[in-house]
Amino acid sequence: MNIMNLWHLGGWEFAALAFAALLVGFSKTAVSGANTVSLAIFAAVLPAKASTGVLLPILIAGDVLAVLIYRRHAHWPTLWRLFPAVAAGVVAGTVFLTWADDGVVRSSIGAILLLMAGVTVWRRRTAGAGEEPEEVTTRAGRAKARSYGVLGGFTTMVANAGGPVMSLYLLSAGFRKLGFLGTSAFFFLIVNTSKLPFSAGLGLIDADSLLLDAALVLFVVPGALLGRWAVNRINQRLFERVVIAATVVGGVQLLVS
C-alpha cells in the first residue's frame, strides 16, 4: 500500500472517512448494523480491498470501547458455540480474497446482507422473539449458530461486514439490547483481533495504512460516547428496526457502488 495514495486525499474524502470512523464508534455502542454504512464509505473513498485493511484497526478500537462499556452483559455460551464456525468462515474468506477483485467483493457482500435482512424480517414476522437466548441450545439453534457463524466469519474477513450478519443472528435468537451489545462486543473484539495476521499476510495492513488509522481513530471515541448516550433512549422495537434498516442500506450501497 502506498502512503502517498493514502494521504493525497481531498478534504471531503478525509471528512467522509472521519465520519465513517465516528459511525464505527456509534455502531459499536448503539446500533451494530450501522457499521455497514462505514464500510461502504471506506470502500467508496479507498480501493475496496485496501479499505478493509485500513478499517480493521479502527473497528478494533471501537470493539475495545464497547467491551469496556458492556462487558458485564456478554452471553458466553453463545460465543463459544459461534467461534469454531466463525474460524472456518475466516479461512474461507481469506481464500476468497486471494482471487476476488474489488467488484466481486462489494457485490457478494451486498447480496449476502440483503438476503440475511430479508430472512430475518420473515422469521420475526412468523415467530416472535424470545426474552432470552435459549434458542441456541436446541439442535435447530445450534445448526443456525453454525451457519451464521460461517457466514459471519466469511463476511468479516472479506469486507469487515460480519456485524450485520451477527446482528441478525443475535436478534433472531431473542437477545435484548444490553445482552446483544455485550455479546457482540466481545465477539468482534476477539474475531477482529484474530484477523490481523491474515490481513497483514494479504498485504492489507502495513505501516502506511496504520498512519491513516492513527489520524482516524480519534473520531471513534466521540462516536462511542454518542452511542452510549443514545442506546438508553432507544426502545427495543425501534432498536431492532434500526439494525435491520442499517443492514439493508449498507447492502444496497455495496451493490450499487
Side-chain angles (χ1 to χ4, degrees):
M1 197 177 298
N2 192 324
I3 186 172
M4 298 304 293
N5 291 336
L6 289 176
W7 286 101
H8 282 183
L9 297 172
W12 74 268
E13 292 173 319
F14 185 82
L17 294 178
F19 173 74
L22 185 145
L23 195 57
V24 166
F26 179 82
S27 71
K28 295 295 184 178
T29 58
V31 181
S32 179
N35 212 33
T36 57
V37 179
S38 296
L39 70 92
I41 292 173
F42 268 75
V45 174
L46 303 171
K49 280 190 177 181
S51 71
T52 64
V54 176
L55 184 56
L56 182 56
I58 295 172
L59 293 173
I60 293 174
D63 294 328
V64 170
L65 293 173
V67 164
L68 290 175
I69 294 172
Y70 299 117
R71 60 188 180 278
R72 298 179 182 176
H73 303 284
H75 189 258
W76 282 97
T78 295
L79 291 171
W80 291 123
R81 290 186 182 94
L82 287 170
F83 284 140
V86 171
V90 168
V91 172
T94 302
V95 174
F96 179 76
L97 282 173
T98 62
W99 64 268
D101 61 22
D102 287 345
V104 172
V105 169
R106 285 194 299 267
S107 316
S108 299
I109 299 304
I112 289 171
L113 294 182
L114 292 178
L115 174 63
M116 299 310 298
V119 169
T120 298
V121 170
W122 176 78
R123 285 180 59 87
R124 295 186 71 77
R125 286 185 175 180
T126 56
E131 293 296 315
E132 298 295 335
E134 296 176 350
E135 183 180 347
V136 296
T137 63
T138 66
R139 178 177 297 180
R142 288 192 295 271
K144 185 174 73 172
R146 286 192 290 269
S147 61
Y148 272 86
V150 171
L151 187 57
F154 178 82
T155 54
T156 194
M157 186 65 223
V158 170
N160 292 313
V165 175
M166 298 317 300
S167 295
L168 297 178
Y169 169 70
L170 294 176
L171 287 181
S172 70
F175 279 83
R176 310 298 288 176
K177 276 191 300 185
L178 292 180
F180 176 106
L181 291 167
T183 303
S184 62
F186 273 102
F187 176 85
F188 282 108
L189 177 60
I190 294 169
V191 170
N192 284 333
T193 302
S194 71
K195 285 161 51 182
L196 287 172
F198 293 95
S199 295
L202 290 168
L204 302 177
I205 295 178
D206 56 21
D208 297 340
S209 69
L210 292 174
L211 285 175
L212 183 56
D213 287 324
L216 294 175
V217 75
L218 299 175
F219 297 93
V220 177
V221 176
L225 295 177
L226 177 62
R228 183 67 183 91
W229 173 84
V231 73
N232 291 328
R233 291 163 175 78
I234 303 175
N235 64 43
Q236 181 68 23
R237 180 167 294 183
L238 177 60
F239 175 81
E240 296 171 359
R241 289 176 176 174
V242 171
V243 168
I244 295 172
T247 301
V248 172
V249 169
V252 171
Q253 286 180 327
L254 288 170
L255 280 175
V256 302
S257 61

